[in-house]
Amino acid sequence: MTHDLHSEAHHSRYPHHAHGAHSHSHSHSHGHSHEHGGQRLIAALIILAAFTLVVAVGGYLANSIALLADSASLLLAVIAVRTARRPADARRTYGHRRYQPLAAFVNGQLLLLLTLGVVYEAVRRLLHPPVVNAQLMLGIAILGGLANLVALLALAGGLSLNERSARAHVMSDLLGSAAASVAAIIILLTGWTLADPLLSLLISALILRSAWAITRESADVLLEGVPAGFDVTHIEAELLGHVPGLIGVHHVHVWTMTGERPTVTLHANLAPGTAHGDALSAIHARLAYRLRVEHTTVQIEEEGDCQTPECGPGESR
């Protein structure tokens, strides 16, 4: 007989109901991580919003578009963190944590669009060099750079995909401010106005790489791809020979909810007479400790339960 044993009780609408003999491999440390992540994002948002307001009041709103964009990306990240805290319900049984990689994906797309906009503007200025007020340019660049540097320090330590996407926004503007400062100094010293668009193109190339990486990683999370750096074959290697009575694993699926720790489902083929509860607990513990798996859902099968070739000993699918 096949037994479906799940370690995802918190996904149920009735998390306090007993589910028989099973163990949880879920770590609750991510709740504290999300709390601190939200605080970091809010702090960075307040800093950037304040500096953006200063620039706007100074009459240079057209030059603070990058700061406004960064503030918008941080606001989106904060909303995602807040929304992710909502409990699971009948409609979203896994909860709302996927809002974080969704926000990261949107932020990655925005960063790509902003960078393409900078490239367009830089090319336009190369073809038609404008008159540049280098002193004003330097002042605004320093002000914007300061805002983004403080915001970047506020975001330090965030490891979630959502926070990294927000940090990429801030870092891109910080690099842009640095390039604008260098260009302004060159213009002041030499009068060479092409320094501005040329440096902008150089920085854009660096930012595009980061923006594409964030977009690709968040899309992979949303498409339930295997987390970056995780080798599915390690699951079989970690379990076979280490879990008494386990003679095979198959139907292995690995994904991640937010881009951090992986989630695993698998079928475990046990030798006759193996205690299901002991085997299940050993599988959960091994995957949580050795591979940092956040959730594990295991279906136990005894030898002969499955008639497909995938169920043979040592086979993983």
Side-chain angles (χ1 to χ4, degrees):
M1 186 172 79
T2 300
H3 304 268
D4 291 317
L5 301 174
H6 300 279
S7 67
E8 310 225 15
H10 74 288
H11 288 157
S12 171
R13 295 179 61 189
Y14 310 102
H16 300 296
H17 286 192
H19 286 251
H22 71 284
S23 64
H24 292 271
S25 64
H26 168 54
S27 168
H28 293 279
S29 61
H30 72 269
H32 300 292
S33 174
H34 291 166
E35 183 70 32
H36 293 312
Q39 292 172 355
R40 284 190 292 264
L41 288 165
I42 291 173
L45 174 62
I46 292 172
I47 293 165
L48 279 185
F51 274 87
T52 303
L53 183 61
V54 170
V55 175
V57 169
Y60 308 122
L61 185 58
N63 293 297
S64 65
I65 292 176
L67 284 174
L68 285 169
D70 288 341
S71 296
S73 72
L74 287 170
L75 180 59
L76 180 61
V78 169
I79 292 173
V81 169
R82 296 283 179 172
T83 306
R85 294 175 185 168
R86 294 178 183 173
D89 53 36
R91 186 180 178 190
R92 292 186 174 86
T93 56
Y94 272 96
H96 297 75
R97 294 171 62 198
R98 277 291 174 91
Y99 277 98
Q100 293 195 66
L102 180 60
F105 180 76
V106 173
N107 274 332
Q109 294 287 295
L110 288 174
L111 192 53
L112 284 171
L113 290 174
L114 283 170
T115 307
L116 291 176
V118 172
V119 170
Y120 170 80
E121 181 64 21
V123 172
R124 192 179 69 82
R125 292 190 177 199
L126 279 174
L127 298 175
H128 307 287
V131 177
V132 177
N133 185 334
Q135 290 181 331
L136 181 59
M137 177 181 170
L138 180 61
I140 294 173
I142 291 174
L143 183 61
L146 240 127
N148 281 282
L149 179 60
V150 177
L152 192 65
L153 292 174
L155 288 171
L159 299 177
S160 72
L161 184 58
N162 189 37
E163 288 176 276
R164 285 188 284 123
S165 70
R167 193 161 57 229
H169 262 273
V170 175
M171 177 60 79
S172 70
D173 201 25
L174 180 59
L175 290 173
S177 296
S181 298
V182 173
I185 292 172
I186 291 174
I187 294 171
L188 283 172
L189 295 177
T190 67
W192 189 46
T193 57
L194 292 181
D196 180 26
L198 287 174
L199 282 172
S200 294
L201 286 174
L202 176 63
I203 294 301
S204 294
L206 299 175
I207 297 172
L208 272 173
R209 182 179 178 183
S210 174
W212 175 248
I214 289 291
T215 301
R216 183 179 60 186
E217 186 178 352
S218 54
D220 203 40
V221 171
L222 293 172
L223 292 171
E224 297 190 346
V226 176
F230 190 94
D231 189 343
V232 178
T233 62
H234 287 174
I235 292 177
E236 183 179 9
E238 285 294 338
L239 295 180
L240 293 180
H242 298 284
V243 176
L246 181 67
I247 59 176
V249 294
H250 54 279
H251 293 311
V252 177
H253 300 283
V254 183
W255 72 98
T256 176
M257 288 294 294
T258 62
E260 296 172 77
R261 297 179 64 180
T263 295
V264 172
T265 65
L266 61 86
H267 290 206
N269 198 221
L270 301 182
T274 303
H276 292 180
D278 292 344
L280 185 63
S281 297
I283 290 171
H284 288 326
R286 187 83 185 174
L287 293 181
Y289 176 70
R290 296 285 296 178
L291 300 180
R292 297 188 70 249
V293 172
E294 182 176 26
H295 302 280
T296 303
T297 301
V298 179
Q299 178 168 305
I300 298 293
E301 297 173 344
E302 290 187 351
E303 190 174 29
D305 282 343
C306 181
Q307 303 302 319
T308 66
E310 300 150 355
C311 302
E315 292 294 326
S316 174
R317 295 290 185 271

